[in-house]
Amino acid sequence: MRVNGKGRIDRNSPISFRFDGHAHVGFAGDTLASALMGDGVRLLGRSFKYHRPRGAMTAGSEEPNALVTMRSGARRDPNIRATVQELYDGLDAQSQNRWPSLGFDVLGLNDLAAPFFGAGFYYKTFMWPKTFWEKLYEPVIRRAAGLGALSGEPLDEAYEKAFAFCDALIIGGGPAGLMAALTAGRSGARVILCEEDREFGGRLLSEVEEIDGQPADDWAAGAVAELRTMDNARLMSRCTVTGAYDQGTYGALERVAHHVGDPKGAPVECFWRIHAKRAILCAGALERHVGFQNNDKPGIMMAGAMRSYLNRWGVVPGKALAVFGNNDDAHRTARDLAKAGLHVAALIDSRADAPNLAGDVPYFPGAQVSRAYGRLGLEAIQILRPDGSQFRMQVQGLAVSGGWNPSLHLSCHMNTRPIWNDTIASFVPTNDAVPGMSVAGAAKGTFSTAGCLTDGAQAGLDVLRDLGFSAHSPEVPEAEDAPYRIRRLWTVPGKGRAWLDFQNDVTVKDVKQAAQENFRSVEHMKRYTTQGMAPDQGKSSNVLALAVLADATGRDIPDTGTTTFRPPFTPVSIAAIGAGSQGKGYAPERFTTSHQASEMAGAPMIEAGLWYRPNYVPEEGEKTWRQSCDREVHMVREHVGICDVSTLGKIELQGPDVGQFLDFVYANTFSTLKSGRVRYGLMLREDGFVLDDGTCARLDVNRWLMTTTTAAAGQVMQHLDWVHQAFCSGLKMRFASVTEQWAQFAVAGPKSRELLNGLLDAPIDDAQCGYMQCVPVTVGGVKARLFRISFSGEHAYEIAVPARFGTSLFEELVARAKTLGGGAYGMEALNVLRIEKGFVTHAEINGTATADDLGYGRMVSAKKDCIGKVMSRRPGLSGPERAQLVGLRPTAAIKEMPAGAHLFEAQSTATRENDLGYVTSTCYSPTLGEVRALALLQNGRARHGEVIKLVDHLRGVETLCEVTDPVAFDPEGGRLRG
């Protein structure tokens, strides 16, 4: 119901919205929870396991009950907390975890079977028969489990990610956070102030108190106004810092467009990575419940939350209200309710000696609420007097306060445990829990407004001094400084179920049962009962559950300890974490300079790493890829072919010590390479296995160009960075990737030199550009690089020009090739050409292959050290028991040899125990007129000439094949060097 004269909402701006298909009206400034409460709706959801009726219990992001689904279709967004969802015109929300309706939920029958569904019942019940778990039990449980559901449709909304840097990150915009930000900002420090609410002020927005003689919320507005005038301060509302990570890095989720119906192109959320030199945690505190029978009825909520709903939004859950607590803060709620003209039926304080601080309200010191009544909402409570007598009282709302827990979660994200403070009966963060982070205000156990302001100012001063800023002590405004008095009360004895974790339906009995079954560790209890494992992560229930476990095991709370706090602090959508990685953002398209020309020629494109390359280039009359591929292979072998090889990684290295660096990176020696020469190189991982292969050219004395495979270009660059930083930081050299700066094309075939001599400004011959040489050339006055290298086994070159000339050069090369009986060729032909020659790619460099396995063992120089050399000599990484590179040709009627097929002795059974290896690459060779393959075969080099069995169970292929040398065509290399 609405309370006249209360709240910070704009009653002149009504907003229409719908909940479960019913029309409602709220006001600007409302949340969905407050608007529904103002319309008399208390039932907002159903619990996870027993489907019990639940209503809003808090007023913030810690809410365990009021989870709703927003929007529909592809934009359907489940598990949104109604307590933080801002109202907007046309909002349409659905309750969840119920069928067919919220008021009548068939699965509410689970509550009647609660005696059979206690903690750990899964482990005890679904044990027999064994086969039923996968076929029956698990499918049924999974269909019944869960809260909200996604639409399953592709997301069509925008999400963003961003980065920010600051001197001081202030986490929380309450009194401590505002004071810390003012202190740091006034001294010139770069400040970021993050607040998860839409407004800054924290608890000041929910309290009736003064700061410096003015209403507390007005003081907060003035502080925010001053901060907004500072160029060095960034204020980020609706932004929750979700995690603390290494080296001053923090994750934060900004809700950009959750509060509007039409984002108009704005992202829904933005995930920030904030790098801060220092951080101040001012996240406030979270109120906890008290366990008593049926304490989960809609209408029962935290006392601080009811104060927020009254003072900030002008709503309460009913006409007759009661307050129950064990601390002075509960009295503030009763006082505010009474001053607002509401009927406060009772203030119940479990402390018999506590004075009445609420004024003229019925007061019951030493009493306790022992039971709640009602079906779909609270109707009455049962009060237990100190003498043991009990009586019932009719109320529609009950505010409960079991004390406040500092919101210290972020301080524990680097595996530090909090410590127990008996004075406030809560855990508090340890000093230096996160390097560079300090804690101020209620987050460290200071609960008065004056204390929070003083804490925030001091924390800001400490940061300024740490960072070397000139710091002056600010004048701390006057504010409420009442002491925080509390006496432990965790549960009220009695029959029936007293709830601890409202979202996962964990009761006091469940925790005690866990202890009885020897799950005494708090981590074991958590997993046995699922306490604290719901989306709210037990923010309001963890300490209560730990206290019950401590009592059940005869320990005190400090000895019991806490569970591990992990990021994120509040749920973060996967779309926000992966912002920019949808569609093409997930798999970016990288196009070569010849891409358009290839597409115009009708070439189907395939992915090679992130690049798109032509699979084959069809000509008129060709109906299958094989026809095109065979023609292209013949074209390269007999005439000349053009292939774009720009996708190969290109890394330029400069400096007098590059040769020394390359000797350490490559298995073979490079420091002896002369200028104008090219050498094939093999690179090992640190564990001794092959990382990559490629060529490296010495362009001049201090300038080198390394090439890598397309697939491993990024991996090799990362590897070079690591080697340089870890082992070679003192060398005089630098390197950078230049893959995108150069367009490079292979010109392969017997007529390749003829083609180039008609194109280059000056002709070449063997004396000028012999095998494995590189020379500078010009094409139409454009400086270019020419390499005499070959991946086809033919007389071949690779010519590189600045990328802006790539398109025109490719078109010119292809046109000239066609006049010589050639043309462009694609990846299929390239694969056939290299298999015929036994050249390896990452099909063979599979992460488990050593240099010896590939037949390159002699390339690992005995005269120098290199990365991976020592590890490559470990027992078991060479010898006949290893799978070694071989060639295969079919000998039986079935000529197919699919890649991935496994190899066995000709007479053995095709079982895992008899497996000798597998086929890595396969093709039909038009040059040889048969199917050829490369394989990794146990003791393969000693098996040349043997007949073995090839089996592919997946494709239903079983045949015999002969083991051969990997090089099937031109083994002498005459065509390559000629």
Side-chain angles (χ1 to χ4, degrees):
M1 60 175 272
R2 291 285 178 185
V3 181
N4 292 329
K6 297 295 290 185
R8 297 167 50 81
I9 56 174
D10 182 1
R11 295 179 187 256
N12 294 319
S13 301
I15 294 177
S16 299
F17 69 100
R18 301 182 72 82
F19 179 65
D20 275 352
H22 299 287
H24 298 274
V25 175
F27 298 98
D30 263 325
T31 64
L32 176 59
S34 68
L36 288 171
M37 191 179 297
D39 251 12
V41 178
R42 293 185 296 173
L43 177 61
L44 300 183
R46 292 278 179 164
S47 66
F48 174 69
K49 185 162 67 173
Y50 298 126
H51 288 250
R52 287 174 64 87
R54 295 282 166 81
M57 194 177 80
T58 71
S61 62
E62 69 273 23
E63 175 59 35
N65 293 335
L67 303 183
V68 299
T69 295
M70 298 293 299
R71 298 174 292 183
S72 59
R75 299 185 177 186
R76 186 177 185 180
D77 201 353
N79 298 332
I80 298 296
R81 290 146 291 175
T83 51
V84 299
Q85 175 59 56
E86 298 172 49
L87 209 61
Y88 59 81
D89 197 47
L91 180 151
D92 190 357
Q94 300 289 327
S95 60
Q96 50 191 43
N97 200 40
R98 83 291 184 274
W99 183 83
S101 68
L102 187 59
F104 178 73
D105 182 10
V106 171
L107 284 178
L109 293 171
N110 285 2
D111 199 30
L112 300 177
F116 305 101
F117 290 167
F121 85 95
Y122 298 104
Y123 316 118
K124 302 171 185 177
T125 307
F126 303 113
M127 301 286 288
W128 183 91
K130 185 177 180 180
T131 56
F132 273 36
W133 174 253
E134 290 186 0
K135 297 178 180 179
L136 177 63
Y137 301 144
E138 186 179 27
V140 171
I141 292 170
R142 286 195 178 277
R143 285 184 65 86
L147 295 170
L150 293 169
S151 67
E153 300 175 23
L155 190 63
D156 59 354
E157 294 178 305
Y159 287 78
E160 255 310 341
K161 59 183 175 185
F163 299 82
F165 302 84
C166 63
D167 296 315
L169 170 64
I170 316 298
I171 305 169
L178 289 173
M179 202 66 206
L182 286 170
T183 303
R186 287 167 179 168
S187 295
R190 294 176 303 156
V191 173
I192 293 178
L193 175 60
C194 289
E195 167 57 50
E196 69 176 356
D197 205 337
R198 71 184 184 90
E199 291 185 88
F200 294 89
R203 285 299 306 174
L204 300 181
L205 305 177
S206 299
E207 304 294 353
V208 180
E209 60 178 270
E210 292 187 345
I211 296 178
D212 262 359
Q214 60 180 317
D217 56 345
D218 287 350
W219 177 88
V224 171
E226 180 181 348
L227 287 167
R228 292 195 188 280
T229 66
M230 299 180 185
D231 293 336
N232 56 312
R234 171 186 280 178
L235 277 65
M236 300 177 68
S237 60
R238 301 185 180 95
C239 185
T240 305
V241 177
T242 59
Y245 305 92
D246 291 333
Q247 301 174 341
T249 303
Y250 298 84
L253 181 69
E254 182 182 11
R255 302 186 310 279
V256 180
H258 278 286
H259 61 290
V260 294
D262 181 8
K264 297 180 179 178
V268 178
E269 295 173 343
C270 179
F271 189 77
W272 288 84
R273 180 183 291 176
I274 302 174
H275 297 268
K277 294 180 180 178
R278 294 291 184 275
I280 305 174
L281 180 61
C282 307
L286 303 174
E287 202 166 11
R288 62 177 179 250
H289 221 284
V290 175
F292 58 86
Q293 186 177 356
N294 294 336
N295 60 335
D296 63 333
K297 298 293 183 184
I300 300 177
M301 63 180 59
M302 302 298 187
M306 188 173 289
R307 215 156 61 239
S308 294
Y309 284 113
L310 171 68
N311 295 324
R312 187 171 177 184
W313 293 293
V315 296
V316 290
K319 294 182 178 180
L321 308 168
V323 181
F324 171 41
N326 63 346
N327 62 84
D328 290 354
D329 197 68
H331 292 234
R332 298 182 68 172
T333 301
R335 178 200 66 191
D336 288 0
L337 291 169
K339 285 187 176 181
L342 295 165
H343 173 48
V344 181
L347 169 59
I348 304 134
D349 194 321
S350 61
R351 303 169 297 169
D353 56 351
N356 182 4
L357 306 177
D360 187 20
V361 298
Y363 183 47
F364 298 88
Q368 299 174 354
V369 174
S370 59
R371 186 175 180 180
Y373 297 90
R375 193 175 75 85
L376 298 180
L378 180 67
E379 297 173 4
I381 57 173
Q382 183 170 276
I383 300 175
L384 174 65
R385 294 190 179 98
D387 61 7
S389 62
Q390 302 188 77
F391 68 98
R392 186 180 297 192
M393 178 179 290
Q394 303 295 317
V395 294
Q396 292 85 49
L398 175 65
V400 179
S401 179
W404 290 82
N405 299 322
S407 186
L408 47 73
H409 304 69
L410 288 173
S411 72
C412 301
H413 281 180
M414 297 187 72
N415 210 30
T416 304
R417 302 281 179 156
I419 57 176
W420 181 255
N421 183 327
D422 204 50
T423 302
I424 63 172
S426 289
F427 286 98
V428 294
T430 58
N431 294 327
D432 300 319
V434 173
M437 176 194 281
S438 56
V439 188
K444 77 169 190 178
T446 302
F447 292 144
S448 71
T449 304
C452 288
L453 292 169
T454 302
D455 258 11
Q458 187 59 52
L461 282 172
D462 292 342
V463 164
L464 291 171
R465 289 166 182 156
D466 284 350
L467 298 178
F469 285 90
S470 176
H472 303 284
S473 298
E475 183 178 345
V476 179
E478 295 182 2
E480 169 272 324
D481 198 20
Y484 176 70
R485 293 185 291 259
I486 185 173
R487 190 170 299 152
R488 294 190 190 189
L489 176 66
W490 311 120
T491 63
V492 177
K495 296 180 180 180
R497 289 171 292 172
W499 304 91
L500 300 175
D501 187 319
F502 291 78
Q503 202 163 75
N504 269 359
D505 281 333
V506 179
T507 66
V508 171
K509 180 182 176 182
D510 291 332
V511 175
K512 290 181 176 179
Q513 179 181 324
Q516 290 172 354
E517 299 193 17
N518 208 32
F519 291 96
R520 297 167 58 88
S521 162
V522 63
E523 297 286 3
H524 291 163
M525 178 275 290
K526 172 181 176 177
R527 286 154 180 80
Y528 187 72
T529 63
T530 69
Q531 158 65 39
M533 294 175 67
D536 74 324
Q537 292 290 286
K539 289 183 175 63
S540 57
S541 62
N542 275 341
V543 171
L544 204 56
L546 299 177
V548 173
L549 179 65
D551 289 344
T553 56
R555 298 173 291 179
D556 203 357
I557 293 178
D559 298 325
T560 304
T562 66
T563 55
T564 302
F565 297 94
R566 297 184 178 91
F569 173 70
T570 55
V572 178
S573 63
I574 294 176
I577 295 175
S581 296
Q582 282 180 259
K584 296 303 180 184
Y586 175 74
E589 294 175 323
R590 300 181 74 180
F591 298 142
T592 63
T593 56
S594 65
H595 183 84
Q596 187 174 5
S598 297
E599 285 195 322
M600 290 179 64
M605 308 303 287
I606 62 167
E607 295 179 52
L610 295 177
W611 293 94
Y612 280 73
R613 301 181 70 178
N615 197 20
Y616 54 93
V617 185
E619 289 193 349
E620 188 176 353
E622 294 174 348
K623 297 181 179 180
T624 68
W625 70 269
R626 266 286 306 278
Q627 289 176 309
S628 300
C629 177
D630 291 353
R631 174 186 51 79
E632 290 170 10
V633 172
H634 175 77
M635 178 180 72
V636 173
R637 294 284 184 227
E638 299 299 328
H639 304 286
V640 63
I642 308 299
C643 182
D644 191 333
V645 294
S646 306
T647 63
L648 298 177
K650 293 178 281 293
I651 301 169
E652 191 159 321
L653 306 94
Q654 297 184 18
D657 294 337
V658 171
Q660 183 180 342
F661 177 72
L662 293 177
D663 280 350
F664 194 56
V665 168
Y666 280 116
N668 48 324
T669 302
F670 273 83
S671 56
T672 58
L673 187 66
K674 296 179 181 179
S675 296
R677 304 293 297 185
V678 183
R679 184 168 292 170
Y680 176 76
L682 195 69
M683 204 174 292
L684 306 183
R685 296 191 317 228
E686 191 181 16
D687 59 5
F689 292 92
V690 177
L691 170 66
D692 196 41
D693 70 337
T695 62
C696 189
R698 191 167 191 171
L699 304 178
D700 58 42
V701 175
N702 292 326
R703 195 174 186 189
W704 307 64
L705 183 68
M706 175 190 295
T707 63
T708 74
T709 57
T710 298
Q715 188 180 2
V716 170
M717 189 67 188
Q718 186 179 34
H719 181 71
L720 296 184
D721 274 331
W722 168 68
V723 174
H724 184 237
Q725 293 180 37
F727 305 106
C728 304
S729 58
L731 296 184
K732 296 177 181 179
M733 56 159 292
R734 290 291 184 268
F735 55 87
S737 172
V738 294
T739 303
E740 290 84 2
Q741 278 66 47
W742 293 88
Q744 192 156 319
F745 306 98
V747 183
K751 299 178 182 178
S752 56
R753 184 187 296 167
E754 180 182 350
L755 185 153
L756 288 172
N757 280 338
L759 175 71
L760 300 177
D761 293 348
I764 57 169
D765 55 26
D766 280 341
Q768 294 172 300
C769 189
Y771 180 61
M772 297 301 277
Q773 283 186 255
C774 61
V775 294
V777 295
T778 58
V779 184
V782 176
K783 291 182 179 180
R785 295 168 177 171
L786 187 65
F787 305 86
R788 175 77 186 277
I789 53 180
S790 175
F791 194 59
S792 61
E794 293 298 325
H795 185 115
Y797 301 83
E798 289 186 10
I799 184 168
V801 295
R804 63 184 180 276
F805 300 109
T807 300
S808 57
L809 178 59
F810 178 76
E811 292 173 352
E812 182 66 21
L813 287 170
V814 172
R816 289 175 178 267
K818 287 183 177 179
T819 65
L820 298 174
Y825 65 98
M827 294 293 288
E828 290 292 349
L830 184 68
N831 193 51
V832 173
L833 293 167
R834 69 97 185 171
I835 291 174
E836 291 176 345
K837 287 295 296 179
F839 294 155
V840 298
T841 64
H842 276 266
E844 289 73 40
I845 304 174
N846 60 8
T848 67
T850 67
D852 187 69
D853 295 341
L854 301 177
Y856 300 156
R858 294 176 63 184
M859 288 185 65
V860 183
S861 175
K863 298 179 181 180
K864 67 177 185 67
D865 194 12
C866 71
I867 293 293
K869 177 179 178 179
V870 173
M871 297 297 279
S872 70
R873 293 177 174 177
R874 288 176 292 165
L877 293 190
S878 62
E881 70 277 5
R882 297 283 304 176
Q884 300 167 347
L885 183 67
V886 297
L888 297 176
R889 57 182 300 272
T891 60
I894 298 176
K895 304 300 183 183
E896 188 178 1
M897 295 192 297
H902 284 255
L903 306 173
F904 306 88
E905 297 285 2
Q907 304 304 319
S908 67
T909 306
T911 62
R912 179 180 58 82
E913 293 79 7
N914 296 329
D915 197 345
L916 298 178
Y918 73 99
V919 177
T920 59
S921 307
T922 189
C923 71
Y924 174 77
S925 168
T927 307
L928 303 174
E930 63 182 6
V931 175
R932 297 293 303 201
L934 297 178
L936 289 170
L937 175 67
Q938 185 177 324
N939 198 21
R941 284 193 290 274
R943 292 177 177 267
H944 290 186
E946 288 187 15
V947 174
I948 61 172
K949 181 162 58 178
L950 179 149
V951 179
D952 186 338
H953 290 300
L954 185 64
R955 299 173 181 85
V957 175
E958 181 172 332
T959 189
L960 298 176
C961 53
E962 179 187 347
V963 181
T964 69
D965 189 278
V967 183
F969 177 73
D970 187 25
E972 297 80 15
R975 299 170 71 97
L976 186 76
R977 296 175 174 83

